[in-house]
Amino acid sequence: MDRLYPWILRTLGLVVPALVVALGWQLYQGAAAARHAFGWGFVVGSSWDPVFNHFGAWPFIFGTLVTTAVAIVLAAPLGIGVAIFLAELAPNWLRGPVGYLVELLAAVPSVVFGLWGLFVLAPWMRTDLEPWLIAHGHNFPLFRGAPYGLGFLAAGLVLAIMVTPFVVGMAREAIIAVPRVQREAAYALGATRWETIWQVVLPGARSGIAGGVLLGMGRALGETIAVTMLIGNTPAVSASLLAPGYTLASVIANEFTEATTALYTSALVEIGLVLFASTLVVNLIARLMIARLAAAGAAA
Amino acid sequence: MDGIAASLRNVNFFYGSQQVLFDVNLEVPERGILAFIGPSGCGKSTLLRSMNRMNDLIPGARLSGEVRIGDEDIYRPGADVISLRRKVGMVFQRSNPFPFSIAENVAYGIKINRLARDRATRDAIIERSLRSAGLWDEVKDRLHRPALALSGGQQQRLCIARALAVEPDILLMDEPASALDPIATARIEELANELKERFTIVIVTHNLQQAARVSDRTSFFLMGKLIESGETRQIFSKPVRKETEDYITGRFG
Ligand SMILES: Nc1ncnc2c1ncn2[C@@H]1O[C@H](COP(=O)(O)OP(=O)(O)OP(=O)(O)O)[C@@H](O)[C@H]1O
Ligand SMILES: [Mg+2]
C-alpha cells in the first residue's frame, strides 16, 4: 500500500493535465471547419451572420474584454479596500459577520445575480444612472448614446459584485500573513497606522493581492449566465459602455441550440476554443506573476 | 551619569483583567546600559514596551502610574505617541527587517519622520547609521539588495541601524541576541558597548553572563515586581535581596 499510494496519486495528478490537453485538442478539432473557412480572420472579423454563414468573433472577444475590464477596475479597489478593512481596521466584533457575508456573496449562484441585475439594477441604470452619466459625461466616449439599461456597464457592474469576494478573500489572507513583527517595526519607528498599512503591510502582501485580482479576472472572463442576462446580446463593437454587446461565453450559451449548420456549430466551438485559451493564458500569467512576486518577496 | 532618561512611578500593568506588573518604580539614568533580568513571564518585555507605548497595539492592555521620558509624561492624555516612538527606538527579539532593500530599511524612519530634506542628506544618514551599527563595510556595495538576504546577525544589526537613523535618545532592546550564534552575539554586545556612549540603552536579556558583561546597571524582576535594582557589579556580587541571590546563583528561573 505504501508503494501503491504515491503511484495512484501520481497517476491522478497526471489525469488532470491530460484532461486539459484533451479538451483543448477536441475543441481545436471541432473548430476545424471554422478555422479552414476563416483562418485568423475569425478572431478579427466583426460580422457574425448565421444566415449568410459568415462568422467573426471580434464582437464577442471585445465584449468579454470590456466587461472583464469594467469588473476588475471596480472590484480590485473595492475588494482590496474591504480586505484592508477586515484585516486591519474593523473592530473584532465586526470582522466575523462582515467576513461571513462576503463569503456568502461568493456562494450565491450566478443566475441569482443575473435576476437581480435584470430586475433591479438594469431598470435603475436605465432611468437614473445612465441618464446622469450621459448628462454629466460631457460627451465622454465611454458614456455616450441612449440609456438601454442592458449593456457592457450593467454586465460589468454585476461581474464586479460577483468577483469582489474572490479579491477580498485572497487579499485578506495575504494581508493577515504579513508578520506582526514587521508592523511593530514600523510603529516603533513612529509610523502611523496608515503609513504602516500603505508602506509596510500592502507591499508585503502584494503577491497575494495580485493573485486575488487575477483570480477574479479569470472568473469574470468565463462567467456566463449573469452576463448573458445583462449584456444585451448584440454582436456589436461600441466605444460606449452604455451600448449593448455580447461576450464569448454568452454567445455559446445562447446559440448552441440554434446552430443548424456544421459551420455554425464549428464557429461556436472555435469561440469556445478562444475562451478556453484566454482563461488558460490569464491563469498562466496569474501563476507566473504570483510565483515571481513570491520569489521576490522571499528574496527581498 | 548626567541625568535621568526615563522614570517610572507606581507602574501597574494589566492585560485585560490579568495584572502583570505591580507598582514598579525605576529611574533610568542617561547613557550607559541598563539590563532587565528575571525569569520568563516576569514582565520584562511588558515593562520595556510600556516605555515606547508599543503595548497600545494590544487590545485590552492598560497601564496605571506614570512613565516619564525626559520630562514628558508619555501616558498623559493627548501625548504624542509618534514623536515618542521617534525618541525611543526599539530592537526586537527576532530581527524584523522590512522586505525592502538594505538602504530602504534604514531610510524608512527618515522618510516617515521627514528627517532629510534631500537625497544627499538621506544618504549621509544611511551611511552614518550603518557605520554606527558596524554594518557599513559589509553592505556598502549592496545597499540596494534585499535586506532579507543578509545573515541573521547582519539583519539584527540592520534593525539597529534602522532604529539609530531617527536619532533616538533611548534604545530599547528586547533580547536582541537570543536568536543569534555566539559570534553574532558578541558583535551585538560590542556594538551596545560602543553605542552606550551616545545613547541610553535598556536591554532585556535571559543571559546572565551577558547582563554582567555589558550592562552598567541591572534590574531584577520576579512575578511582575521589581525586586532589586542597582549597579551591575553590586547586583551580581552582593545582592541585597534573597530572591536576587537565588536567581543569580541559578537556584531558580
Ligand atoms: N499580549 C498579551 N496578552 C496577554 N497576556 C500577555 C501578553 N503578553 C504577555 N502576557 C503575559 O504577561 C506576563 C508578562 O509577560 P512578558 O512577555 O512581559 O514577560 P517576559 O519577562 O518578557 O518573559 P520572557 O522572558 O519569556 O520574554 C506573562 O504572564 C505573559 O503571559
Ligand atoms: Mg520577553
Side-chain angles (χ1 to χ4, degrees):
Chain A
M1 199 59 204
D2 273 358
R3 212 140 8 106
L4 205 59
Y5 207 60
W7 189 85
I8 294 173
L9 286 181
R10 204 169 313 138
T11 313
L12 287 175
L14 289 175
V15 166
V16 177
L19 279 175
V20 173
V21 171
L23 187 57
W25 177 247
Q26 275 163 2
L27 286 171
Y28 187 75
Q29 290 300 307
R35 280 191 292 112
H36 291 143
F38 310 111
W40 285 108
F42 185 76
V43 284
V44 292
S46 52
S47 111
W48 181 265
D49 197 340
V51 179
F52 292 97
N53 252 337
H54 195 272
F55 300 101
W58 176 240
F60 311 110
I61 296 172
F62 177 82
T64 304
L65 292 176
V66 170
T67 49
T68 301
V70 170
I72 288 302
V73 163
L74 296 172
L78 178 66
I80 295 168
V82 172
I84 293 172
F85 175 74
L86 284 175
E88 296 283 326
L89 303 174
N92 269 329
W93 59 268
L94 205 60
R95 290 178 192 206
V98 173
Y100 180 70
L101 281 176
V102 172
E103 278 168 33
L104 209 67
L105 207 57
V108 173
S110 53
V111 66
V112 177
F113 281 109
L115 278 176
W116 174 81
L118 198 55
F119 291 115
V120 180
L121 182 68
W124 173 75
M125 286 179 65
R126 189 173 56 242
T127 58
D128 295 270
L129 179 65
E130 293 186 348
W132 186 88
L133 283 174
I134 293 163
H136 295 83
H138 299 288
N139 221 15
F140 188 55
L142 287 182
F143 305 121
R144 255 185 227 164
Y148 289 106
L150 300 179
F152 296 116
L153 189 60
L157 278 174
V158 167
L159 273 179
I161 297 170
M162 297 175 66
V163 155
T164 299
F166 292 91
V167 180
V168 174
M170 290 277 285
R172 184 165 81 140
E173 292 294 307
I175 290 170
I176 290 173
V178 173
R180 197 176 61 114
V181 291
Q182 279 179 12
R183 291 161 220 251
E184 290 196 329
Y187 285 121
L189 288 166
T192 62
R193 191 182 223 190
W194 276 112
E195 286 167 337
T196 305
I197 291 174
W198 281 108
Q199 298 165 356
V200 175
V201 176
L202 290 185
R206 67 195 165 173
S207 64
I209 292 174
V213 169
L214 286 163
L215 185 71
M217 201 166 141
R219 296 266 317 170
L221 280 178
E223 172 51 39
T224 309
I225 188 70
V227 173
T228 309
M229 292 163 84
L230 292 165
I231 187 80
N233 298 329
T234 309
V237 172
S238 162
S240 173
L241 294 180
L242 310 184
Y246 226 149
T247 69
L248 294 165
S250 32
V251 74
I252 299 173
N254 273 335
E255 299 193 2
F256 78 98
T257 47
E258 309 163 4
T260 40
T261 66
L263 188 61
Y264 195 175
T265 313
S266 175
L268 285 176
V269 173
E270 188 165 0
I271 287 206
L273 181 66
V274 172
L275 188 56
F276 176 80
S278 47
T279 41
L280 218 62
V281 167
V282 166
N283 276 298
L284 211 68
I285 294 172
R287 258 153 226 282
L288 284 176
M289 253 181 88
I290 291 168
R292 216 196 54 201
L293 289 169
Chain B
M1 307 286 160
D2 6 19
I4 299 300
S7 69
L8 298 93
R9 224 160 281 150
N10 303 322
V11 171
N12 291 280
F13 194 94
F14 306 82
Y15 288 112
S17 58
Q18 187 202 0
Q19 184 168 2
V20 301
L21 289 176
F22 300 84
D23 258 323
V24 174
N25 286 280
L26 179 68
E27 292 205 323
V28 183
E30 260 180 12
R31 309 225 156 63
I33 301 179
L34 168 65
F36 286 178
I37 60 169
S40 188
C42 68
K44 306 178 295 291
S45 297
T46 303
L47 190 66
L48 195 73
R49 293 163 64 94
S50 65
M51 293 170 69
N52 65 346
R53 293 189 55 171
M54 280 307 272
N55 291 321
D56 289 17
L57 304 174
I58 299 165
R62 189 164 59 80
L63 178 140
S64 76
E66 190 184 272
V67 179
R68 285 183 175 275
I69 300 292
D71 44 21
E72 173 104 8
D73 174 0
I74 63 167
Y75 284 90
R76 154 183 72 80
D80 183 353
V81 182
I82 302 301
S83 76
L84 164 71
R85 292 191 182 137
R86 197 184 77 66
K87 274 188 286 187
V88 184
M90 185 161 218
V91 177
F92 298 79
Q93 179 167 0
R94 283 189 42 224
S95 61
N96 54 356
F98 301 123
F100 312 153
S101 72
I102 293 167
E104 283 169 333
N105 263 276
V106 184
Y108 187 69
I110 307 172
K111 174 169 124 188
I112 55 173
N113 292 295
R114 294 182 190 80
L115 298 179
R117 236 171 286 109
D118 50 48
R119 226 193 144 72
T121 320
R122 193 193 80 137
D123 290 347
I125 301 176
I126 292 175
E127 175 171 346
R128 193 190 61 214
S129 309
L130 285 168
R131 281 190 192 280
S132 296
L135 194 60
W136 176 254
D137 291 331
E138 288 157 71
V139 301
K140 61 172 188 281
D141 301 322
R142 45 174 172 156
L143 289 174
H144 302 290
R145 304 288 301 282
L148 289 166
L150 296 173
S151 75
Q154 289 174 324
Q155 285 189 21
Q156 194 60 305
R157 278 182 282 140
L158 177 65
C159 292
I160 293 172
R162 182 175 64 184
L164 295 180
V166 301
E167 296 185 62
D169 301 327
I170 303 180
L171 196 57
L172 308 174
M173 303 177 126
D174 195 346
E175 304 190 39
S178 66
L180 303 179
D181 63 53
I183 292 172
T185 300
R187 201 74 191 73
I188 300 279
E189 289 180 8
E190 212 175 287
L191 184 56
N193 216 9
E194 287 164 30
L195 295 173
K196 76 175 189 180
E197 306 294 333
R198 290 184 286 144
F199 302 95
T200 303
I201 297 177
V202 184
I203 186 168
V204 171
T205 178
H206 258 129
N207 180 331
L208 291 180
Q209 282 88 16
Q210 183 172 65
R213 270 196 307 268
V214 302
S215 72
D216 302 298
R217 298 177 65 81
T218 298
S219 296
F220 170 62
F221 294 85
L222 186 62
M223 290 173 29
K225 297 197 172 83
L226 174 57
I227 302 297
E228 185 170 354
S229 196
E231 298 236 352
T232 298
R233 211 169 325 123
Q234 174 253 314
I235 295 282
F236 279 89
S237 57
K238 304 193 284 295
V240 176
R241 300 279 300 263
K242 175 86 169 54
E243 297 95 318
T244 314
E245 187 178 349
D246 288 347
Y247 184 69
I248 302 291
T249 53
R251 233 161 287 169
F252 67 78

